[in-house]
Amino acid sequence: MAYLTFAPPVRPKTSAGTTQVRVLSNDYGEGYSQVIDDGINCVSESLNLTWPVLTFEQAEQITAFFKGNKSRPFYWGLPGQPAKKWRCLKWQRTFQRGTCGMSAEFTEVFA
């Protein structure tokens, strides 16, 4: 399957990333537990991207990409890093006088 590349008209101004390790855990009592990694791709990232000031046309381009792509993964890379596969299931637009802003939540995909 060919994946699209997310190329926003303006780079996000801020991004905050979270890395999470997915594990399987079993507690035995008396303080004993067993923890193992849940699969080969158990370390994943999520990003919160923000565009504080966009024109309506720029915001519409970004929104159109997310809506058109739906839940399918896409490629995008932080500056200075190779592109990874991401999925965006949630984004938000804010409206101000003559401009708007956006934020989006990306989750890493290993499809």
Side-chain angles (χ1 to χ4, degrees), residues 3 6 8-9 12 27 31 51 54 65 77 85 99-100 110:
Y3 298 106
F6 178 54
D27 294 326
W51 294 266
L54 294 169
F65 179 86
K85 280 188 243 170
T99 64
C100 59
F110 301 100

Side-chain angles (χ1 to χ4, degrees), residues 8-98:
V10 177
R11 279 209 171 271
K13 295 291 180 201
T14 59
S15 59
T18 302
T19 304
Q20 182 174 350
V21 179
R22 192 178 61 249
V23 298
L24 299 172
S25 177
N26 192 20
D27 294 326
Y28 296 109
E30 297 183 18
Y32 292 97
S33 65
Q34 183 177 16
V35 178
I36 60 170
D37 297 339
D38 186 14
I40 59 172
N41 294 318
C42 62
V43 180
S44 63
E45 292 183 71
S46 61
L47 293 175
N48 290 314
L49 305 177
T50 305
W51 294 266
V53 180
L54 294 169
T55 65
F56 292 112
E57 294 80 20
Q58 292 169 333
E60 188 53 41
Q61 287 177 357
I62 295 170
T63 301
F65 179 86
F66 294 152
K67 282 184 176 179
N69 209 45
K70 297 179 180 128
S71 64
R72 292 185 294 271
F74 56 86
Y75 286 108
W76 185 74
L78 285 164
Q81 294 187 9
K84 294 181 181 179
K85 280 188 243 170
W86 302 94
R87 181 173 285 132
C88 181
L89 300 176
K90 185 177 180 182
W91 61 91
Q92 177 181 4
R93 287 175 71 168
T94 56
F95 297 94
Q96 301 136 9
R97 285 187 245 161

